[in-house]
Amino acid sequence: MKGVFWNCNGFADGKKYRFLNELTKEKNLDFIALSETGRANFPQSTLNNICAGRDYLWHCMAPRGRSGGMLLGINLLNFDIGEIEEGDFFVRFKIRRREDDFKFNLISVYGPAQVEHKSLFLSEIVNVCSKEALPIIIGGDFNIIRRPQEKNNANFNNRWPFLFNAVIDSLNFREIEMSGRNFTWANNLPIQTFERLDR
């Protein structure tokens, strides 16, 4: 199974559509999970362009305020959708792979940047994942780092990484390690901060 989790940081630029179209064709993607789309809906022509004309089923979650929004799509040639669930910070597909009847959950998340919402986000992850007997693939922009090495400066507060790691351990998650770079986010200040927020 091949797919992409991507915080696209807004989705008005045509280059992003072309990137996903070419990536879908090159890698033969089975799913596309986008966060921070900033969109409440997408025209069918846009969705067809994103997945290079393949037969995808899509679910769009509208942004709350000026940020947020998610889009999750799955290739119906290879998978059936049994159930779709939307939370405050996630979209979940319950999926069956056609070739061998294997069933699992695909969850795309967009964690809040605001500190006051992080405990709600982590609680929601625990609630949705702990009730599931089927295997889970979860990814997206968690907006929390796990360790000091996932930031390029010494400004590190262990509170949220500690809780995030406790959630990961309690749910018996295993992380697929990223290759090619160390960080996934940077601010726009003259002295930049880099962090790994997506996984």
Side-chain angles (χ1 to χ4, degrees):
M1 179 174 184
K2 294 180 182 178
V4 60
F5 292 99
W6 183 30
N7 180 332
C8 59
N9 193 22
F11 214 55
D13 188 347
K15 292 177 184 175
K16 294 179 181 180
Y17 296 101
R18 288 192 294 277
F19 168 74
L20 286 171
N21 180 288
E22 291 168 8
L23 187 68
T24 301
K25 287 188 283 192
E26 179 187 340
K27 302 295 185 182
N28 198 22
L29 297 181
D30 292 306
F31 74 87
I32 298 171
L34 305 178
S35 57
E36 205 172 352
T37 60
R39 301 275 299 267
N41 53 60
F42 290 82
Q44 189 60 47
S45 60
T46 298
L47 297 175
N48 291 341
N49 186 22
I50 292 171
C51 65
R54 287 162 170 76
D55 186 17
Y56 264 55
L57 181 140
W58 295 96
H59 181 82
C60 181
M61 182 170 139
R64 293 177 175 90
R66 292 183 298 165
S67 65
M70 298 173 65
L71 182 66
L72 180 59
I74 190 83
N75 190 342
L76 293 178
L77 180 66
N78 300 323
F79 299 92
D80 287 326
I81 305 291
E83 183 178 302
I84 298 174
E85 180 183 6
E86 182 179 307
D88 289 331
F89 305 104
F90 75 89
V91 175
R92 178 182 66 88
F93 284 0
K94 188 168 281 188
I95 295 172
R96 181 185 72 87
R97 189 164 54 197
R98 292 176 185 268
E99 73 173 350
D100 58 6
D101 203 40
F102 179 71
K103 299 178 180 71
F104 63 99
N105 290 279
L106 175 64
I107 301 175
S108 178
V109 303
Y110 181 52
Q114 302 86 356
V115 171
E116 62 269 23
H117 300 309
K118 290 189 185 295
S119 60
L120 295 173
F121 167 61
L122 293 175
S123 296
E124 190 173 65
I125 289 177
V126 170
N127 289 337
V128 71
C129 295
S130 60
K131 69 182 181 184
E132 280 298 333
L134 295 175
I136 296 168
I137 296 174
I138 184 170
D141 184 347
F142 291 83
N143 261 312
I144 304 174
I145 63 175
R146 294 189 64 187
R147 52 188 72 88
Q149 296 82 359
E150 295 182 349
K151 192 170 186 178
N152 73 326
N153 61 45
N155 185 14
F156 177 75
N157 180 339
N158 192 46
R159 179 184 180 193
W160 297 112
F162 175 81
L163 292 171
F164 188 31
N165 285 315
V167 167
I168 290 169
D169 291 343
S170 70
L171 294 170
N172 199 27
F173 283 160
R174 288 178 289 173
E175 183 170 1
I176 299 172
E177 292 299 327
M178 184 173 65
S179 61
R181 60 181 182 169
N182 295 323
F183 309 109
T184 65
W185 174 87
N187 62 15
N188 293 318
L189 298 177
I191 299 176
Q192 286 189 302
T193 296
F194 297 93
E195 295 182 342
R196 180 176 177 187
L197 302 178
D198 308 75
R199 54 189 80 242

